[in-house]
């Protein structure tokens, strides 16, 4: 029996072929136009040459480089893009163009199919970086404008801050603001900020000169003087009427401040009037100086009849010296002011007598002597000279006997009562007397006389000038009834002290005054 035979049967199964994966087209023949097209497309900074050649990693690298540049460049800064970033980016584009040319030489483009068309597209796309450069330059110009406007705002803020206080306190801020205005005007003349400078300068002038607008004339002098220097600082700027803006205001401030100081007695008026007369000699304000000075002299002259004539004399003397020292530009002004100086000094001279009388009446006898002696020396022929001499005598007596100074002496002379004054002293003496009549005379020393011991003069019955054997120097004067005060004063080098005596004279009597010396001083009886 034949056995069954078992076997296997292989059914054949054939797998279909797997299609190849897509890949870059095989290198083609070298194409110079295509190479240039890829290079030019890469110069746009967008890596389009690499993209059309399907070099995606390199495309992304171009995008990244351009993004970094944009990050550095934007927003636009007045200083522009840093130079290093521009150099590196330019080198990168040059490298991308050179490498793109190498790639495009044998690599077919995905689009467009024709190399000349790709080159034309690349050339058109070069407008992208060029347009970006133009736009960036405009943006940078605008950033510069904004920066300059910010600087202008900073200067305005400085002016506003300085205007809140005094000119002295804000002067540094004013100077810094002016420096900014000058820089904008000179170095950025075509900018929008520079176009606003003239308007800002008017506000600047008004802020600096604000004390004048507030009628604070003394405080206005320094800022207005400063404003006159501004044209020198802004020599390239047309200031228009601002150039002369401070002049009339300064002249007015100088006059008003000086006139007020002249009235109140402040010494600064001379420098202010002097600056007015030399700086603005032909001005309306300068023409008012002489009348103001004349009025001040007249006011002070009237004070001679007031309660303090001595102060008026001092002020007149000072006023005369101050007027005489004023600088002038014209002969007419100098002559007019010279007359006022002479008037002030002359009034002071004549007022010296009034001052001496006032000192005498106030009991300041020492000062009255000094004043009247000066008056007599300077006015020998004046009508009051004779009385001034008698006041000197009375004041000296009143220093020892205050009661003698209760009444002002007169020029009266003589009387009905004879008074004989003898000198029983070895020293020459000056005999002064005041009362109804005032006068003085001298007696020679008694050659045979000596000083009496002080104790001997206290003994009862002591009588000087009683030695009949001596020839006492003497003089007889005639006085009216009333109280007369005598003062005997030694002359020369004598160390004896003055002596005084008070005599109540009555008609029908003959009086004798005796001057003698004790060991302790000069005495009289």
């Amino acid at each position: 029996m034949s056995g069954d035979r078992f076997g296997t049967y292989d059914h054949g199964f054939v797998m279909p072929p797997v299609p190849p994966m897509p890949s870059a087209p095989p290198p083609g023949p070298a194409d110079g136009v295509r190479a240039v097209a890829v290079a030019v497309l890469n110069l746009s900074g967008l890596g389009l040459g690499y993209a059309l050649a399907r070099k995606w990693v390199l495309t992304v690298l171009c995008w990244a480089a351009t993004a970094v540049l944009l990050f550095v460049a934007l927003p636009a800064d007045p200083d522009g893009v840093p130079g290093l970033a521009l150099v590196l980016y330019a080198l990168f584009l040059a490298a991308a163009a050179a490498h793109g040319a190498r790639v495009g030489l044998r690599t077919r483009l995905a689009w467009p199919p024709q190399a000349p068309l790709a080159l034309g597209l690349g050339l058109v796309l070069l407008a992208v970086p060029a347009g970006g450069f133009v736009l960036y330059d405009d943006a940078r110009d605008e950033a510069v404008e904004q920066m300059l406007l910010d600087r202008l705002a900073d200067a305005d803020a400085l002016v506003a801050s300085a205007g809140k206080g005094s000119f002295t306190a804000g002067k540094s801020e004013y100077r810094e603001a002016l420096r900014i205005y000058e820089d904008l005007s000179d170095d950025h003349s075509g900018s929008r900020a520079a176009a606003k400078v003239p308007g800002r300068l008017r506000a600047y002038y008004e802020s600096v000169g604000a004390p004048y607008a507030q009628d604070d004339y003394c405080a206005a002098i320094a800022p207005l003087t400063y404003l006159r220097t501004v044209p020198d600082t802004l020599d390239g700027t047309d200031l228009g009427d601002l150039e002369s803006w401070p002049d009339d205001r300064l002249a007015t401030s100088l006059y008003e401040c000086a006139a007020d100081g002249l009235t109140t007695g402040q010494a600064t008026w001379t420098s202010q009037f002097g600056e007015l007369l030399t700086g603005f000699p032909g001005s309306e304000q300068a023409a008012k100086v002489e009348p103001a000075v004349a009025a001040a002299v007249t006011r002070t002259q009237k004070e001679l009849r007031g309660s303090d004539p001595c102060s008026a004399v001092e002020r007149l003397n000072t006023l005369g010296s101050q007027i005489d020292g004023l600088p002038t530009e014209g002969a007419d002004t100098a002559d007019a002011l010279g007359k006022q100086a002479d008037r002030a000094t002359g009034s002071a001279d004549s007022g010296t007598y009034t001052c001496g009388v006032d000192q005498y009446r106030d009991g300041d006898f020492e000062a009255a002597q000094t004043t009247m002696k000066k008056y007599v020396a300077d006015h020998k022929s004046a009508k009051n000279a004779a009385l001034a001499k008698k006041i000197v005598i009375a004041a000296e007596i009143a220093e020892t006997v205050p009661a003698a100074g209760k009444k002002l002496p007169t020029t009266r002379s003589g009387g009905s009562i004879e008074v004989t004054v003898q000198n029983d002293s070895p020293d020459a003496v000056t005999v002064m007397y005041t009362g109804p009549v005032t006068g003085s005379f001298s007696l020679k020393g008694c050659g045979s006389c000596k000083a009496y011991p002080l104790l001997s003069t206290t003994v009862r019955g002591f009588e000087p000038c009683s030695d009949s054997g001596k020839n006492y120097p003497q003089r007889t004067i005639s006085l009216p009834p009333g109280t007369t005060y005598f003062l005997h004063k030694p002359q020369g080098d004598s160390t004896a002290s003055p002596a005084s005596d008070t005599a109540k004279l009555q008609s029908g009597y003959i009086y004798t005054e005796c001057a003698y010396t004790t060991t302790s001083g000069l005495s009289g009886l």
Side-chain angles (χ1 to χ4, degrees):
M1 169 177 172
S2 62
D4 295 331
R5 299 180 63 184
F6 295 89
T8 61
Y9 178 77
D10 294 329
H11 299 280
F13 181 77
V14 178
M15 295 292 293
V18 178
M21 295 295 291
S23 61
D31 189 336
V33 175
R34 186 174 59 212
V36 173
V38 172
V40 171
L41 286 167
N42 279 354
L43 285 177
S44 67
L46 300 177
L48 293 179
Y50 285 140
L52 295 181
R54 293 179 292 276
K55 302 296 182 180
W56 305 113
V57 173
L58 295 175
T59 300
V60 172
L61 180 61
C62 288
W63 293 348
T66 301
V68 170
L69 178 67
L70 292 176
F71 177 80
V72 172
L74 298 178
D77 186 86
D79 295 330
V81 182
L84 179 61
L86 288 176
V87 170
L88 292 177
Y89 187 70
L91 291 175
F92 176 81
L93 289 182
H99 183 259
R102 182 178 178 184
V103 170
L105 183 63
R106 293 184 179 279
T107 303
R108 294 175 181 175
L109 303 180
W111 183 90
Q114 301 298 324
L117 183 60
L119 177 59
L121 177 63
L123 292 174
V124 171
L125 290 177
L126 283 180
V128 173
F133 175 80
V134 172
L135 292 175
Y136 179 81
D137 195 53
D138 290 343
R140 179 174 175 272
D141 289 343
E142 180 60 25
V144 171
E145 290 285 357
Q146 289 300 322
M147 178 193 70
L148 296 177
L149 289 172
D150 289 342
R151 293 188 64 193
L152 181 67
D154 291 342
D156 296 343
L158 287 171
V159 173
S161 174
K164 294 178 181 178
S166 67
F167 171 73
T168 301
K171 190 172 183 178
S172 60
E173 291 178 300
Y174 280 129
R175 288 189 181 279
E176 177 60 18
L178 185 63
R179 187 192 66 77
I180 295 174
Y181 291 144
E182 178 190 14
D183 176 71
L184 292 174
S185 182
D186 293 349
D187 298 340
H188 307 280
S189 57
S191 66
R192 296 201 301 270
K196 295 177 181 291
V197 167
R200 295 302 200 274
L201 284 175
R202 183 166 295 277
Y204 179 87
Y205 270 64
E206 291 174 353
S207 178
V208 175
Y212 176 84
Q214 299 164 2
D215 296 335
D216 191 354
Y217 298 112
C218 292
I221 292 174
L224 290 172
T225 301
Y226 162 77
L227 285 176
R228 297 188 79 201
T229 68
V230 170
D232 295 333
T233 302
L234 300 175
D235 54 359
T237 303
D238 182 11
L239 295 176
D241 62 334
L242 287 179
E243 188 162 353
S244 60
W245 189 91
D247 295 349
D248 186 69
R249 290 169 173 82
L250 177 57
T252 298
S253 297
L254 288 168
Y255 173 78
E256 294 294 343
C257 183
D260 183 69
L262 185 58
T263 301
T264 58
Q266 298 177 11
T268 55
W269 69 267
T270 55
S271 61
Q272 293 152 2
F273 269 163
E275 185 177 346
L276 175 60
L277 290 170
T278 55
F280 306 93
S283 66
E284 176 185 349
Q285 295 86 343
K288 297 191 293 185
V289 170
E290 190 274 337
V293 169
V297 174
T298 300
R299 283 195 305 270
T300 312
Q301 284 176 325
K302 292 179 180 178
E303 294 175 8
L304 290 173
R305 300 189 294 272
S307 60
D308 191 4
C310 294
S311 294
V313 168
E314 183 178 353
R315 284 193 292 273
L316 282 168
N317 275 320
T318 301
L319 191 58
S321 298
Q322 291 173 325
I323 297 171
D324 192 51
L326 286 175
T328 57
E329 291 292 328
D332 292 342
T333 302
D335 290 344
L337 289 173
K339 290 178 181 178
Q340 297 305 326
D342 293 342
R343 189 161 71 96
T345 304
S347 297
D349 287 344
S350 60
T352 303
Y353 173 80
T354 305
C355 171
V357 170
D358 186 70
Q359 291 169 332
Y360 184 90
R361 286 174 171 164
D362 288 343
D364 192 352
F365 301 118
E366 182 178 1
Q369 290 179 70
T370 302
T371 301
M372 287 306 192
K373 285 178 180 178
K374 182 179 185 304
Y375 176 78
V376 171
D378 295 340
H379 305 84
K380 292 182 174 63
S381 59
K383 64 178 182 178
N384 290 323
L387 182 54
K389 293 178 183 179
K390 292 183 179 294
I391 291 175
V392 171
I393 295 171
E396 187 167 359
I397 297 172
E399 281 194 279
T400 303
V401 188
K406 290 183 177 180
K407 292 183 179 180
L408 193 70
T410 67
T411 55
R412 181 180 176 183
S413 62
S416 59
I417 302 173
E418 290 187 353
V419 178
T420 300
V421 183
Q422 298 177 319
N423 186 14
D424 190 2
S425 166
D427 299 319
V429 297
T430 297
V431 179
M432 294 179 285
Y433 56 91
T434 188
V437 171
T438 300
S440 68
F441 58 90
S442 297
L443 290 176
K444 296 186 299 182
C446 176
S448 59
C449 299
K450 296 180 180 179
Y452 292 94
L454 181 61
L455 289 178
S456 66
T457 63
T458 62
V459 176
R460 185 175 181 178
F462 171 73
E463 292 185 12
C465 298
S466 60
D467 189 343
S468 60
K470 293 181 179 180
N471 185 19
Y472 299 108
Q474 64 180 30
R475 181 171 176 176
T476 299
I477 57 176
S478 298
L479 300 174
T483 301
T484 296
Y485 303 92
F486 288 90
L487 183 70
H488 306 157
K489 185 174 69 173
Q491 298 178 0
D493 298 331
S494 173
T495 59
S497 302
S500 63
D501 188 25
T502 301
K504 296 182 179 181
L505 306 180
Q506 300 179 23
S507 299
Y509 293 88
I510 296 176
Y511 294 89
T512 301
E513 263 301 300
C514 182
Y516 62 92
T517 305
T518 68
T519 53
S520 63
L522 187 70
S523 300
L525 178 64

